[in-house]
Amino acid sequence: MKKKINVTNPDELHKKRKFLYDTTFNYRNKFLDKQNKKYKSKFLEIRKCPVCLSSKNRKIFDKEGSSFVVCNNCKMVYLNPVFKDKYLFDYYSKSPDVQANAHEKEKKFYKSIYGSGLEIINKRKKKGKLLDLGCSGGFFLDMAKNSSWKTFGIEINNKEFAIANKKKHKVWNQELSTLNKKEKFDVVTMWDVFEHIKNPHKILSEIKKRLNKKGLIFIQIPNSDSIAAKVLREKCNMFDPIEHVNLYNLSALKKLFTITNFRILNIKSVIDELAVVKNYLNYDDPYSGNYNLS
């Protein structure tokens, strides 16, 4: 999935992203019940583990009105309760275009990350139709097109769709399940998108219907077993109290792909979060402290 490379100083990267964190935080607060500091009950539902469907879990911690739990069976970390489908879709479709903004402000970082992913994909397939689920403003699609792929995207966020739609890609502002059944692809990518999807079984089943013979899925996701996640816990930005509904570790991911009949071809790590852990251990803000990796 991902390759470990030193693309930039993570400490500096997070400082540049403060605008993204602040904008997202302000948007999330619109859904809070100010009296009890929980997300309004009309938005929420209780669910089973999204991987193994067990109802047995234990709470890890609360964060900004939400609870993160870990499955007693497969150790999957997930939000419970979680936003109901219709409210989650509405939340995503109307949220600020922070990701497209991040792509523009951090081009060097994303070119390195996406370039590494393209290398992995191109070793297995060198051309064909590529669909990027959650394509944002189309930054990755631009790179894929330059690598001779026929590029397609899906983006449900209205503002980011508008940005991607101005480029020379075929982009849809709708869910994958609603596309014409004749639409087939050789590769489907999800860059930091899979953790936003409540029902992984459903989306993987839908992707399988859309893949040509010997088609590939490429996924980049945060790792709930990472050092930053385990040391910082609720202070880690991985734990988004609305959007990051499912946080996989390697074991849970392997279990999911076994259940859904996918074969894992490649697993790699990308970003070293040592700097933010050092900041935290020095009593600094993890994402704006003074430590670096030198």
Side-chain angles (χ1 to χ4, degrees):
M1 290 178 194
K2 301 173 284 184
K3 184 176 181 180
K4 185 176 180 180
I5 49 175
N6 293 323
V7 293
T8 188
N9 185 320
D11 197 45
E12 292 300 317
L13 176 65
H14 288 297
K15 288 178 183 178
K16 291 180 181 179
R17 288 187 176 178
K18 191 174 186 304
F19 83 96
L20 185 155
Y21 304 141
D22 290 346
T23 302
T24 302
F25 178 79
N26 291 333
Y27 179 63
R28 285 200 307 258
N29 277 349
K30 296 179 182 179
F31 299 87
L32 277 174
D33 184 323
K34 294 181 180 178
Q35 289 187 333
N36 62 20
K37 296 183 179 180
K38 296 282 187 180
Y39 290 108
K40 297 175 183 177
S41 58
K42 71 174 185 178
F43 297 133
L44 304 174
E45 65 181 4
I46 299 293
R47 61 173 174 158
K48 296 180 180 179
C49 173
V51 171
C52 72
L53 306 182
S54 171
S55 58
K56 296 181 179 180
N57 61 68
R58 59 183 174 84
K59 184 189 291 188
I60 308 174
F61 51 74
D62 293 324
K63 181 175 182 177
E64 295 176 22
S66 289
S67 296
F68 283 93
V69 303
V70 59
C71 175
N72 290 349
N73 180 40
C74 71
K75 309 306 177 186
M76 174 70 181
V77 175
Y78 59 101
L79 273 175
N80 197 30
V82 67
F83 269 37
K84 297 175 182 176
D85 290 347
K86 64 178 180 179
Y87 293 117
L88 192 60
F89 183 89
D90 192 54
Y91 176 93
Y92 288 143
S93 63
K94 297 178 181 178
S95 63
D97 56 343
V98 291
Q99 190 58 51
N101 253 308
H103 287 157
E104 287 302 310
K105 290 177 179 290
E106 302 160 25
K107 287 183 178 180
K108 183 178 179 180
F109 170 78
Y110 282 105
K111 283 182 178 179
S112 296
I113 291 289
Y114 291 163
S116 176
L118 272 174
E119 285 181 12
I120 294 172
I121 292 170
N122 288 338
K123 286 180 180 178
R124 300 278 177 178
K125 285 187 176 293
K126 295 188 179 297
K127 61 181 180 180
K129 296 173 66 177
L130 182 150
L131 173 68
D132 189 25
L133 286 180
C135 67
S136 184
F139 192 93
F140 172 68
L141 289 178
D142 294 340
M143 294 182 64
K145 181 177 280 291
N146 289 336
S147 191
S148 300
W149 286 93
K150 296 178 182 178
T151 47
F152 303 80
I154 285 181
E155 179 53 62
I156 63 172
N157 180 276
N158 297 328
K159 294 178 180 178
E160 299 199 337
F161 165 75
I163 296 171
N165 198 40
K166 294 178 181 179
K167 300 180 178 181
K168 294 181 179 180
H169 313 292
K170 175 63 178 177
V171 185
W172 295 278
N173 185 217
Q174 61 193 82
E175 294 184 274
L176 179 61
S177 60
T178 64
L179 289 191
N180 188 310
K181 293 181 179 180
K182 293 182 180 180
E183 296 289 354
K184 302 281 187 177
F185 308 95
D186 298 291
V187 176
V188 174
T189 58
M190 286 182 278
W191 290 93
D192 298 306
V193 169
F194 199 49
E195 66 271 21
H196 295 255
I197 297 174
K198 272 175 65 179
N199 190 333
H201 294 269
K202 182 179 179 181
I203 191 66
L204 289 174
S205 176
E206 189 61 44
I207 289 172
K208 184 170 287 188
K209 296 175 187 176
R210 304 288 178 164
L211 282 174
N212 289 323
K213 188 177 181 180
K214 295 184 179 181
L216 299 176
I217 298 179
F218 179 95
I219 299 173
Q220 176 171 288
I221 53 173
N223 180 2
S224 63
D225 272 348
S226 71
I227 294 297
K230 290 193 168 184
V231 173
L232 273 63
R233 295 171 67 83
E234 67 270 24
K235 295 183 182 297
C236 181
N237 284 339
M238 178 186 302
F239 298 104
D240 184 292
I242 294 181
E243 296 190 38
H244 288 182
V245 296
N246 296 331
L247 291 169
Y248 301 87
N249 54 39
L250 182 55
S251 176
L253 198 62
K254 286 181 176 180
K255 186 176 186 67
L256 173 64
F257 286 147
T258 297
I259 293 171
T260 53
N261 295 314
F262 280 94
R263 183 163 60 96
I264 297 177
L265 301 176
N266 190 297
I267 297 176
K268 292 187 178 180
S269 297
V270 173
I271 300 174
D272 187 344
E273 289 277 72
L274 182 59
V276 297
V277 173
K278 283 184 175 180
N279 289 336
Y280 180 70
L281 295 178
N282 196 45
Y283 305 110
D284 285 331
D285 182 301
Y287 298 100
S288 59
N290 297 314
Y291 276 104
N292 56 46
L293 292 177
S294 59

